[in-house]
Amino acid sequence: MTNITCTYLTDGETELVHGPTGSVIQTDLPPDNGGKGRRFSPTDLLAAAFASCVLTIMGKMAAARGEKFEGARVEIDKVMASNPRRVGEFVLKVAFPAHFTAEQKKFYISAVNACPVHQTLHPDVKVTVNVL
């Protein structure tokens, strides 16, 4: 179990403190929801968690296989939906190290579905994956 404390600061901003490490993240409301967009929004953090989850699982897979994985990246776009306001879709763009074969890329893409963040999303949230 991880403890995170969230404190409302002012003007739509919050501060999150990761209990075990003391790491701090601040958030703000996005402009399209009445905020100023000065920091990650809560749904931006959800997108960031998804991308980070996928990439760290891929990194563990690569370590287990003894394959170099440095430089891999995931770009993620969050598409909002309305009625109710929620994330409607995530579009992931996965860039693998240049030396990866098509077979390796296919193997590593399985991490998208294995990611606990993805498994937690409501089934109505569309997930699109593109390999760069």
Side-chain angles (χ1 to χ4, degrees), residues 73-93:
R73 74 176 191 279
V74 172
E75 297 174 22
I76 190 164
D77 292 319
K78 169 192 75 174
V79 180
M80 296 300 291
S82 57
N83 297 323
R85 182 175 171 80
R86 63 180 181 83
V87 175
E89 179 180 11
F90 287 112
V91 179
L92 289 82
K93 295 169 227 147

Side-chain angles (χ1 to χ4, degrees), residues 90-103:
F90 287 112
V91 179
L92 289 82
K93 295 169 227 147
V94 183
F96 290 101
H99 65 275
F100 267 37
T101 65
E103 186 177 299

Side-chain angles (χ1 to χ4, degrees), residues 28-39 41 85:
D28 190 15
L29 287 171
D32 68 344
N33 198 27
K36 295 185 178 155
R38 297 163 286 200
R39 309 196 190 308
S41 73
R85 182 175 171 80

Side-chain angles (χ1 to χ4, degrees), residues 14-90:
T14 68
E15 182 173 272
L16 299 126
V17 179
H18 183 249
T21 65
S23 295
V24 175
I25 298 172
Q26 292 181 335
T27 68
D28 190 15
L29 287 171
D32 68 344
N33 198 27
K36 295 185 178 155
R38 297 163 286 200
R39 309 196 190 308
F40 282 95
S41 73
T43 54
D44 290 343
L45 291 180
L46 179 61
F50 192 5
S52 176
C53 182
V54 166
L55 207 54
T56 54
I57 289 173
M58 287 180 180
K60 284 182 67 172
M61 292 165 70
R65 293 167 57 116
E67 296 177 339
K68 299 272 186 196
F69 197 66
E70 291 78 10
R73 74 176 191 279
V74 172
E75 297 174 22
I76 190 164
D77 292 319
K78 169 192 75 174
V79 180
M80 296 300 291
S82 57
N83 297 323
R85 182 175 171 80
R86 63 180 181 83
V87 175
E89 179 180 11
F90 287 112

